[in-house]
């Protein structure tokens, strides 16, 4: 009955980063599945395999990171929270670049 009595929800920068990770993982998964359903026939061999691997593992990893940060982020030191923030910026940049490149090449 009191199994989850130790779960702590705090509103700090790490838990907000966790929420951003969770939201972006869902958005990225939806956009990449939509792109793959439209343009998947043009990909062949290694390109299709690498894209499917990216499609599967990236959102899973981002969901795990977001869950960990949301539930356990209150334990992180400020320098570790800053490191997670920089990692989030890198992931956002690379995923937005991936989505924009796919949208540009779709119009050609």
């Amino acid at each position: 009955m009191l199994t989850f009595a130790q779960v702590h929800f705090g509103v700090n920068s790490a838990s907000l980063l966790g929420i951003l990770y969770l939201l972006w993982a869902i958005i990225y998964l939806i956009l990449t599945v939509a792109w793959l359903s439209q343009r998947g026939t043009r990909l062949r061999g290694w390109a299709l395999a690498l894209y499917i691997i990216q499609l599967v593992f990236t959102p899973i990893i981002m969901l795990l990171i977001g869950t960990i940060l949301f539930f356990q982020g209150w334990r992180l030191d400020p320098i570790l929270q800053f490191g997670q923030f920089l990692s989030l910026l890198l992931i956002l940049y690379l995923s937005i670049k991936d989505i924009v490149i796919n949208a540009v090449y779709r119009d050609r």
Side-chain angles (χ1 to χ4, degrees):
M1 181 171 171
L2 294 175
T3 305
F4 294 112
Q6 295 292 324
V7 176
H8 177 71
F9 297 100
V11 180
N12 59 8
S13 61
S15 63
L16 294 176
L17 284 174
I19 292 170
L20 285 174
Y21 267 111
L22 292 171
L23 292 175
W24 187 250
I26 294 167
I27 292 169
Y28 185 72
L29 179 66
I30 291 169
L31 290 175
T32 53
V33 167
W35 181 83
L36 187 62
S37 67
Q38 292 175 357
R39 305 260 309 183
T41 56
R42 292 187 182 181
L43 295 174
R44 300 277 186 245
W46 282 101
L48 182 61
L50 288 175
Y51 196 77
I52 290 175
I53 289 170
Q54 177 183 343
L55 174 69
V56 170
F57 287 114
T58 303
I60 289 173
I61 292 170
M62 287 173 36
L63 286 171
L64 285 173
I65 292 171
T67 304
I68 291 169
L69 284 176
F70 183 70
F71 286 112
Q72 299 295 325
W74 60 274
R75 298 174 138 194
L76 288 180
D77 293 333
I79 192 71
L80 292 174
Q81 290 181 12
F82 182 66
Q84 286 294 324
F85 176 70
L86 293 177
S87 297
L88 176 72
L89 288 179
L90 179 66
I91 288 173
L92 285 175
Y93 167 73
L94 292 175
S95 57
I96 289 172
K97 186 178 104 174
D98 182 40
I99 292 169
V100 168
I101 285 174
N102 289 331
V104 168
Y105 284 127
R106 180 179 59 197
D107 292 338
R108 286 184 178 185

